Amino acid sequence: EDLYVNVTFADSAIVDIHVVNGGFINSVSGNWNRNNFFIGEMIVMQANPNTGWKFDGWYENDVLISQGGGGLAYTITKDATLEARFSII
């Protein structure tokens, strides 16, 4: 008897995550330390400034998407570049 299997692959996106000077990122949930994600997947990250620096915001493709305390809950919808940006105090 033949066995047939239907396999469906979820859509995925390439998301590059970077720190621009003066800080670091902690993963709160999800696995952000890679760049291939499933569409609809959510990652939560926390950007933290080094001593003498302040957090300026999260940017998606050079557009400011979040300021405040450095936390970001981001749902993958398409290919993107995310940056946590910092400046000297």
Side-chain angles (χ1 to χ4, degrees):
E1 186 171 316
D2 292 334
L3 174 64
Y4 294 94
V5 178
N6 286 331
V7 178
T8 303
F9 294 98
D11 289 336
S12 63
I14 302 296
V15 178
D16 292 316
I17 302 168
H18 304 277
V19 172
V20 179
N21 297 323
F24 58 96
I25 300 170
N26 287 336
S27 176
V28 177
S29 71
N31 180 4
W32 67 270
N33 196 17
R34 58 189 166 101
N35 69 349
N36 193 2
F37 297 90
F38 293 118
I39 299 294
E41 184 175 355
M42 182 167 47
I43 51 176
V44 179
M45 299 170 289
Q46 178 67 41
N48 299 289
N50 292 334
T51 302
W53 292 77
K54 69 179 180 69
F55 175 70
D56 292 330
W58 283 100
Y59 288 75
E60 176 183 16
N61 301 327
D62 287 325
V63 175
L64 179 65
I65 60 170
S66 177
Q67 287 179 298
L72 178 68
Y74 183 81
T75 301
I76 308 301
T77 60
K78 63 185 181 290
D79 292 347
T81 298
L82 296 177
E83 294 179 337
R85 295 184 184 177
F86 302 87
S87 60
I88 296 176
I89 295 175

